[in-house]
Amino acid sequence: GEDVEQSLFLSVREGDSSVINCTYTDSSSTYLYWYKQEPGAGLQLLTYIFSNMDMKQDQRLTVLLNKKDKHLSLRIADTQTGDSAIYFCAVYTGGFKTIFGAGTRLFVKA
Amino acid sequence: GAVVSQHPSRVICKSGTSVKIECRSLDFQATTMFWYRQFPKQSLMLMATSNEGSKATYEQGVEKDKFLINHASLTLSTLTVTSAHPEDSSFYICSASQGAGVGQETQYFGPGTRLLVL
């Protein structure tokens, strides 16, 4: 079946860039998402990319999509302590079905 | 835009009682709503998908008689945990989307409901 994989942890220093990676298996994916979850809260949609795009930039966030390798990444520039959270990669595969990765826990050290 | 609310945010109940959780889309019509369960430090587990006016589709292993889902209108879905037991204690999150068409399938999440069954 479809699968979305992410590394579980990432630790960076404040001010550095963070890169969170995600791989997926379903080549028919149309929309790919990044969500952020802070402790005790729901998921906040950060950004998304359509499958015919290679890159999308939104302020400090840059999403890169490599369709050939089925690889999605989220780069956060100038990472701040407020960026500490869990980041979920999600892939829409059609028919009301969105597959979520397990989430990457980002730790930002001051 | 695209705000989803959940109520209550926290609930504590006694074992054997039923608990109802509401999920509302505040500024858009949610053709499809999803209910997830999240255990501490784990990912989301999809429990069921519901479309307005029809029966929910439950994921494998989720007891539909225990987790009753009603999607009565385009802005409201409810999850009722019946005869709750301590193992039902969890963080329940709903999400809503406008549908499955291009540009309509993005899910917007509620803030979650923490259920503790004593």
Side-chain angles (χ1 to χ4, degrees):
Chain A
E2 306 93 345
D3 194 20
V4 176
E5 293 196 357
Q6 302 176 238
S7 53
L8 293 182
F9 299 101
L10 176 65
S11 180
V12 300
R13 291 190 183 278
E14 191 174 23
D16 287 351
S17 292
S18 308
V19 179
I20 303 172
N21 294 301
C22 171
T23 58
Y24 58 97
T25 56
D26 193 326
S27 57
S28 66
S29 307
T30 52
Y31 280 88
L32 302 99
Y33 305 89
W34 284 103
Y35 287 88
K36 176 184 180 182
Q37 185 181 33
E38 300 190 25
L43 275 67
Q44 172 197 355
L45 178 65
L46 282 179
T47 187
Y48 66 91
I49 190 168
F50 193 55
S51 58
N52 66 355
M53 298 167 67
D54 298 323
M55 184 183 88
K56 181 178 181 181
Q57 188 152 1
D58 184 1
Q59 299 182 334
R60 290 192 298 125
L61 306 178
T62 303
V63 178
L64 294 177
L65 174 61
N66 182 328
K67 278 195 72 174
K68 176 175 168 289
D69 295 338
K70 299 189 190 118
H71 182 267
L72 182 73
S73 67
L74 173 69
R75 178 177 179 268
I76 305 173
D78 187 24
T79 312
Q80 302 298 306
T81 53
D83 295 324
S84 294
I86 302 174
Y87 290 82
F88 289 93
C89 169
V91 173
Y92 177 69
T93 59
F96 307 109
K97 197 89 171 169
T98 299
I99 309 298
F100 286 81
T104 298
R105 193 175 290 270
L106 176 64
F107 296 95
V108 182
K109 296 176 284 190
Chain B
V3 179
V4 177
S5 70
Q6 271 184 252
H7 177 78
S9 57
R10 294 174 184 267
V11 57
I12 301 173
C13 68
K14 291 183 179 179
S15 188
T17 60
S18 293
V19 174
K20 181 186 279 190
I21 303 170
E22 290 187 351
C23 177
R24 291 181 187 272
S25 58
L26 300 185
D27 52 2
F28 67 101
Q29 293 190 324
T31 305
T32 308
M33 285 186 165
F34 305 82
W35 286 96
Y36 294 85
R37 186 172 177 177
Q38 188 179 34
F39 292 100
K41 298 186 179 181
Q42 293 191 26
S43 187
L44 305 172
M45 184 193 83
L46 178 64
M47 299 174 67
T49 302
S50 73
N51 291 296
E52 185 263 340
S54 61
K55 288 185 180 180
T57 301
Y58 289 81
E59 295 298 301
Q60 195 170 5
V62 178
E63 300 176 60
K64 56 184 173 185
D65 293 333
K66 179 157 188 69
F67 299 99
L68 301 179
I69 292 171
N70 184 7
H71 191 162
S73 76
L74 284 171
T75 59
L76 173 65
S77 176
T78 60
L79 167 68
T80 302
V81 183
T82 62
S83 186
H85 290 283
E87 58 265 29
D88 298 324
S89 299
S90 193
F91 192 52
Y92 292 87
I93 312 177
C94 75
S95 71
S97 74
Q98 291 179 281
V102 174
Q104 294 190 322
E105 66 294 301
T106 300
Q107 292 184 34
Y108 298 94
F109 284 80
T113 296
R114 189 161 299 282
L115 170 64
L116 178 61
V117 184
L118 302 176

